[in-house]
Amino acid sequence: MEYTDRLLRDTVITVDLGALAHNLRTIRALVGPDVAIMAVVKANAYGHGAAAVAPVFLENGVTYLAVATLTEALDLKAACPEAPIFILGQTPARLMDIVASEGFTQAVTGLEEAKALSEAACALGRRAKVHLKFDTGLVRLGMRDPAEALEIAKLPGLEIEGAFSHLALAGAESDRAQFEKFLAFTDGLTAAGVPLRYRHIADSVATVDVPAYRLNMVRPGSLCYGLHSWDSDAEVDVRQVLRFETKVSAVHTVEAGEGASYEHRWRAKRPSLIATLPFGYCDGYPRRLYEQGYVTIKGVRCPFAGLIGMDQCMVDATDVPDLAQGDPVVIYGLGDGDGMSLQEAADLCKTFKNDIIARLMARPPRVYVR
Ligand SMILES: *Cc1c(COP(=O)(O)O)cnc(C)c1O
């Protein structure tokens, strides 16, 4: 049975599609009409739900939706068959027949996989679209030897549509060195008679901070979702798309000295009101935040009362006026009384915002608002 018309949990991720569309218009205005946008929707669109957000990207003029893996590409295609899909990561040579038959555009990081893809495409009587991946200093994936790219260019089953590289963001000087290396690679290819329709190296940070790095295609991820993801003092009007919310499932009164949750790591210092909340670390909330994290209820900051479980947690809601079962709770919002901001959560976890939202699991239902 499917109950698609019912909201099956009180713990939800709210996704503002209007804000997403706004951000895409902002990015378009920033880069101008001549720079193509490859929007990154890996990791379930950074937790926003790739299938549901894909149409908003397509309505707003992106050239590609980029995923990290073949599995993500297949899921996205099933949900959104018309989407032009780009696979950023390496697909093992043994799986290239799938890439060819599904018509994905594939990053190619070396000759062996290129041969496999070329053969698979030839067997289907097609040419597979690829972008050549160069390693210019991240030392992750890609070719370092332009001669290898020239070998790939000779393969009959490939259409070389572009070339790209990825910045290590190790500082302005190092980024510039990577950029110049990339230009040298691509200029070499063009001079050798391999035309490149797209060249791209800029993620969100570089897209905002260094206009020269935009070339004729950019690959923003976090910027699309309204995260402040740049280092300069540029003003870019993007808005956070995602909220994480729930409702109080139970209220308990405890005496001073009583413990709550596993191992009773929390003990009441005063007569307290404990609110039980139906979310836990299996929804993608960092378990380590039990010590310093908090939620807000009616604008009041409520710290966790002990360890966070897989599916539930408790908070100290003593200071919330008229606390009742069913009260709305903000887990991640904009901060300042509207839940924790993603930045605060990231700081407390010693990580950054992409990691906080991308780890949100598929389990909480997504509620899409315009
Ligand atoms: C994830 C990723 C991006 C997008 O990064 P953001 O920092 O979110 O903009 C761009 N390019 C590649 C190759 C990536 O893996």
Side-chain angles (χ1 to χ4, degrees):
M1 271 293 230
E2 282 198 66
Y3 297 97
T4 47
D5 57 334
R6 311 263 298 275
L7 190 52
L8 299 177
R9 260 187 95 186
D10 283 339
T11 298
V12 297
I13 289 166
T14 310
V15 177
D16 183 344
L17 297 177
L20 179 62
H22 165 86
N23 296 343
L24 296 170
R25 290 192 296 269
T26 296
I27 296 169
R28 171 56 67 209
L30 179 75
V31 302
D34 300 328
V35 174
I37 298 171
M38 173 186 285
V40 181
V41 299
K42 63 190 177 189
N44 199 24
Y46 293 48
H48 294 69
V53 298
V56 180
F57 282 100
L58 299 178
E59 285 157 23
N60 283 279
V62 307
T63 299
Y64 272 118
L65 294 177
V67 296
T69 64
L70 178 58
T71 48
E72 288 182 342
L74 290 166
D75 287 346
L76 182 57
K77 188 178 177 191
C80 193
E82 72 280 16
I85 299 174
F86 186 92
I87 303 178
L88 289 164
Q90 185 184 55
T91 299
R94 67 187 168 82
L95 299 171
M96 286 301 192
D97 57 317
I98 303 177
V99 173
S101 64
E102 298 291 338
F104 301 136
T105 304
Q106 175 67 53
V108 159
T109 70
L111 184 57
E112 283 319 302
E113 28 180 301
K115 279 183 178 158
L117 181 54
S118 173
E119 277 165 27
C122 287
L124 293 166
R126 296 189 187 172
R127 290 206 303 156
K129 269 193 212 173
V130 300
H131 289 206
L132 301 173
K133 175 89 196 256
F134 289 109
D135 175 31
T136 53
L138 184 60
V139 194
R140 188 165 76 177
L141 276 182
M143 291 170 269
R144 292 184 153 216
D145 180 1
E148 190 173 358
L150 290 174
E151 285 303 303
I152 292 174
K154 291 182 197 149
L155 296 171
L158 302 183
E159 174 190 338
I160 298 181
E161 188 192 47
F164 75 112
S165 189
H166 198 44
L167 295 172
L169 303 174
E173 228 173 278
S174 138
D175 287 351
R176 169 146 297 276
Q178 280 194 261
F179 176 68
E180 276 164 10
K181 214 169 183 181
F182 179 59
L183 290 189
F185 277 134
T186 56
D187 287 348
L189 280 181
T190 322
V194 183
L196 299 166
R197 179 154 174 222
Y198 297 115
R199 293 188 300 169
H200 46 112
I201 193 166
D203 67 341
S204 293
V205 177
T207 295
V208 175
D209 286 346
V210 193
Y213 295 176
R214 294 173 194 157
L215 295 170
N216 70 345
M217 179 176 259
V218 290
R219 293 193 310 267
S222 45
L223 196 60
C224 304
Y225 308 104
L227 303 185
H228 186 292
S229 41
W230 56 92
D231 298 327
S232 67
D233 51 13
E235 290 199 15
V236 185
D237 177 22
V238 290
R239 302 174 192 157
Q240 187 174 311
V241 173
L242 172 145
R243 301 174 62 76
F244 191 19
E245 298 165 306
T246 189
K247 287 184 178 158
V248 173
S249 54
V251 174
H252 310 274
T253 310
V254 299
E255 305 297 329
E258 268 192 70
S261 196
Y262 292 120
E263 302 171 20
H264 281 179
R265 290 216 199 161
W266 179 91
R267 275 188 192 280
K269 294 198 177 72
R270 53 176 177 168
S272 303
L273 281 180
I274 300 298
T276 303
L277 309 179
F279 76 96
Y281 62 84
C282 290
D283 293 302
Y285 191 83
R287 182 174 179 272
R288 63 184 294 183
L289 284 182
Y290 84 93
E291 282 181 308
Q292 288 173 288
Y294 63 90
V295 301
T296 60
I297 306 175
K298 296 176 183 161
V300 177
R301 196 175 159 130
C302 301
F304 290 98
L307 287 173
I308 296 167
M310 289 178 79
D311 328 295
Q312 304 186 71
C313 59
M314 280 71 91
V315 295
D316 179 351
T318 312
D319 298 327
V320 177
D322 306 318
L323 178 72
Q325 191 182 35
D327 277 351
V329 179
V330 184
I331 306 166
Y332 295 149
L334 299 176
D336 289 328
D338 180 37
M340 255 203 297
S341 73
L342 297 171
Q343 186 62 54
E344 274 177 282
D347 290 344
L348 289 176
C349 290
K350 298 190 170 55
T351 181
F352 77 138
K353 289 171 284 190
N354 285 1
D355 180 27
I356 294 294
I357 55 173
R359 71 169 74 186
L360 288 168
M361 298 292 165
R363 188 169 78 170
R366 269 60 174 173
V367 174
Y368 294 93
V369 296
R370 277 269 171 192

